[in-house]
Amino acid sequence: ILNVEQSPQSLHVQEGDSTNFTCSFPSSNFYALHWYRWETAKSPEALFVMTLNGDEKKKGRISATLNTKEGYSYLYIKGSQPEDSATYLCAFLNNRKLIWGLGTSLAVNP
Amino acid sequence: ETGVTQSPTHLIKTRGQQVTLRCSSQSGHNTVSWYQQALGQGPQFIFQYYREEENGRGNFPPRFSGLQFPNYSSELNVNALELDDSALYLCASSPEGGRTGELFFGEGSRLAVL
């Protein structure tokens, strides 16, 4: 059974704090690793699609790294803002199917 | 550019009934995937359609079926509804088979089965 695990399950930080979450996935048959942000009452929105071992991607204050050999990806948020409050989901692409983690719920207090 | 739209946004059904959910894909996208998200769970892959053909299926029973039309819009049909089918159903579109590219999601259809 293929499993994607995310940690922590939830996180509360103060505005201005930097934070990071982990996504663990099977290291075999790797095709791609997706990160999505899902704000309440909105659609999930793609942050990154990562395909190469050692990939680092950045979008504004958010960045992600990928280690396909050991099966993990980190998502970093620098200087968290209240608008970063959302659930962050990762998904592992296996045989054309995306297998999703349960997400990390981030709350940023002003 | 029109985004992914889903209808209806909310609906209530009773056990044993049938439901059809609809999705219009983003302009230029020929691949549609459907996901079920039950309370407290991550999205679970139901199936994917690429150019009107089913292109992959998750662990859902045959009473979950779908269609994709020539304009790439899609339907999800669920027969003989069960209480556990209560969930948010998300549709996502992507270009060219959705192999590694990002998905573009609709806002979902929330189904309650009583």
Side-chain angles (χ1 to χ4, degrees):
Chain A
I1 296 176
L2 296 171
N3 216 25
V4 174
E5 295 183 358
Q6 292 189 246
S7 63
Q9 187 175 349
S10 65
L11 199 52
H12 291 253
V13 302
Q14 288 299 124
E15 183 176 354
D17 288 350
S18 293
T19 187
N20 65 85
F21 338 125
T22 305
C23 173
S24 301
F25 52 87
S27 54
S28 58
N29 295 322
F30 178 85
Y31 289 96
L33 192 282
H34 292 223
W35 280 101
Y36 287 82
R37 175 171 58 201
W38 195 353
E39 295 178 63
T40 304
K42 294 188 177 179
S43 317
E45 174 194 357
L47 288 172
F48 305 111
V49 178
M50 308 178 81
T51 56
L52 297 174
N53 184 41
D55 241 357
E56 286 190 37
K57 293 206 172 182
K58 190 173 179 183
K59 187 184 277 190
R61 294 178 291 100
I62 303 177
S63 60
T65 61
L66 179 68
N67 184 322
T68 61
K69 292 184 179 178
E70 295 182 38
Y72 65 83
S73 175
Y74 294 137
L75 188 79
Y76 300 91
I77 302 179
K78 185 177 176 182
S80 302
Q81 299 295 310
E83 58 264 30
D84 296 329
S85 298
T87 297
Y88 291 81
L89 290 160
C90 72
F92 165 72
L93 184 66
N94 175 266
N95 195 23
R96 295 181 178 173
K97 301 176 195 175
L98 276 175
I99 300 166
W100 296 78
L102 298 183
T104 293
S105 176
L106 173 67
V108 181
N109 301 318
Chain B
E1 186 179 79
T2 309
V4 178
T5 57
Q6 292 187 243
S7 63
T9 55
H10 297 81
L11 69 167
I12 300 172
K13 292 282 188 178
T14 55
R15 269 188 305 176
Q17 284 190 310
Q18 180 265 344
V19 70
T20 297
L21 307 178
R22 294 179 177 83
C23 172
S24 294
S25 58
Q26 184 158 316
S27 176
H29 289 183
N30 56 19
T31 304
V32 171
S33 307
W34 285 92
Y35 294 85
Q36 180 197 65
Q37 192 192 32
L39 200 61
Q41 302 293 316
Q44 299 291 316
F45 174 71
I46 304 175
F47 41 55
Q48 181 183 84
Y49 278 83
Y50 171 59
R51 294 190 176 182
E52 303 178 58
E53 301 264 336
E54 190 179 285
N55 188 34
R57 190 178 179 94
N59 295 325
F60 280 80
R63 58 191 186 83
F64 285 77
S65 63
L67 280 175
Q68 188 178 31
F69 299 100
N71 66 355
Y72 304 129
S73 65
S74 177
E75 283 183 357
L76 164 64
N77 299 293
V78 188
N79 291 325
L81 283 166
E82 300 176 1
L83 296 178
D84 285 349
D85 296 333
S86 297
L88 179 69
Y89 288 86
L90 290 165
C91 165
S93 74
S94 52
E96 283 309 314
R99 287 187 173 272
T100 59
E102 65 186 75
L103 301 178
F104 294 79
F105 283 88
E107 293 188 356
S109 293
R110 189 167 292 282
L111 171 66
V113 182
L114 305 178

